[in-house]
Amino acid sequence: MHTSRPCLASRRIVLSSPQSLVVESPAPEGMRLTGVWFRLTVLYLLAMIVLQGLGGDAAIADALYAMQGHQWALRHHELTEGWVHGGGRRLVAGMFLGLIAFTLFAWRRPAFAAWRRGLVVLLGSVLASVAIVAGTKYSLAMDCPWSLAAYGGSLPHIGLFEARPLDLPRNSCFPAAHASSGFAWVALYFFFAATRPRWRHAGLAVGLALGTVFALSQELRGAHFLSHDLTSLMICWTIALAAHLVFNRSGAA
C-alpha cells in the first residue's frame, strides 16, 4: 500500500519560520552586557535604599561594633591594619606594576600581539577605577563609622543627601578607596573574555575576592559602611564594562 510522506518543503517552512529564527539569533554582545549592567544597577539602588535609607548600614555597623566589645578593637590590629590594609596596598601596587611589565613584554613579542589591546584596556580600566573612586571620595564629605558619636567618635551621622553643617570637619569616606583597589580587578573578566574566554570567570573571581577581603577588613576596623564598598564595586564594574564595550568589542563575554 502506498503511504504518503510529509512534504519536504513544509519541513523547510517550519525550520525557517520566524519563531525559529528568533530563537537561533543571539543578542548582540553590547546589548546583552548592557542589560546585565542595568539589572545590577537596579539591585545596587535597592541595596542603597535598604542600607542608607532604611538603616541597614547602621545595623551592620552596630553588630560589628558590639562584637568587638563596643569599640573598634580591630582598627589597629596587625591583621586588618597591617596585613590587609598595608599589605593589600602593596599587593595591588605590585600587581599593577607587573601588568605594566607584562604589557611592555607583550608589545615586543609577536606571539602576544592578540593580547596587546586587551592589556592596554585592562591597564586603563584598573587605573581609571581607582582614580574615579578616589576623586569621588575626596569630593564628598562623608564620615567613617569610627568618627561618629554612635561608635566612639564625636560627630553626628549626616546622610549622603543631607546638608552638612559648615562647622563640622570634612572627612572623606565614601566610596571606599581601599576596596576599589581590589574591585578594580573585575576588569580581568573582560580581558579574558577577549583573549582566553575560559578564564573569564576566574578573572572575575580574583577581582571580587580581593575587593571583598579589603572591604570586610575595613568594615571591621570601622573605616567604612557596607554601602561605601558596594558603591566602589558598582563604579569599578561600570568602568570595566564601558572600557570593554568601547575599546574591545571583539571578545565574547
Side-chain angles (χ1 to χ4, degrees):
M1 178 182 293
H2 175 72
T3 58
S4 60
R5 302 176 62 185
C7 177
L8 292 177
S10 65
R11 292 184 182 179
R12 286 194 295 270
I13 291 173
V14 171
L15 291 175
S16 61
S17 64
Q19 290 83 359
S20 64
L21 289 176
V22 170
V23 171
E24 294 175 358
S25 298
E29 180 200 24
M31 183 181 300
R32 183 173 62 82
L33 290 175
T34 301
V36 172
W37 175 85
F38 179 79
R39 291 190 290 273
L40 290 176
T41 300
V42 171
L43 291 175
Y44 164 74
L45 293 175
L46 291 174
M48 291 296 286
I49 290 173
V50 172
L51 293 172
Q52 292 210 351
L54 301 179
D57 271 342
I60 295 171
D62 288 348
L64 296 177
Y65 190 64
M67 182 182 70
Q68 299 175 52
H70 296 281
Q71 60 179 325
W72 297 114
L74 296 175
R75 179 172 179 176
H76 299 298
H77 194 277
E78 179 63 22
L79 175 62
T80 53
E81 185 179 36
W83 286 87
V84 181
H85 191 252
R89 285 189 299 183
R90 291 188 290 272
L91 172 63
V92 294
M95 290 172 63
F96 191 75
L97 291 175
L99 179 58
I100 292 175
F102 185 69
T103 302
L104 295 175
F105 172 81
W107 223 261
R108 300 174 62 87
R109 296 294 187 275
F112 291 97
W115 288 37
R116 292 171 183 169
R117 176 184 293 184
L119 287 168
V120 172
V121 173
L122 177 59
L123 274 169
S125 179
V126 171
L127 184 60
S129 294
V130 174
I132 289 175
V133 168
T136 304
K137 172 183 175 179
Y138 289 111
S139 68
L140 299 174
M142 288 289 291
D143 299 306
C144 306
W146 61 38
S147 299
L148 302 179
Y151 307 111
S154 59
L155 301 177
H157 182 271
I158 307 294
L160 180 60
F161 299 106
E162 296 181 50
R164 187 178 183 86
L166 296 178
D167 59 339
L168 290 182
R170 183 181 177 85
N171 294 318
S172 299
C173 292
F174 177 89
H178 188 53
S180 74
S181 67
F183 286 135
W185 294 92
V186 297
L188 284 168
Y189 174 85
F190 298 106
F191 169 71
F192 286 127
T195 56
R196 291 292 186 273
R198 292 182 180 180
W199 299 355
R200 67 190 187 280
H201 292 112
L204 178 63
V206 169
L208 290 177
L210 275 175
T212 299
V213 170
F214 293 171
L216 179 58
S217 175
Q218 289 295 81
E219 288 175 39
L220 287 170
R221 297 180 66 223
H224 290 291
F225 289 113
L226 177 57
S227 64
H228 301 187
D229 295 310
L230 287 181
T231 299
S232 292
L233 172 57
M234 194 64 202
I235 291 173
C236 292
W237 178 259
T238 299
I239 292 171
L241 171 61
H244 174 74
L245 293 180
V246 172
F247 298 108
N248 204 355
R249 295 174 178 269
S250 61

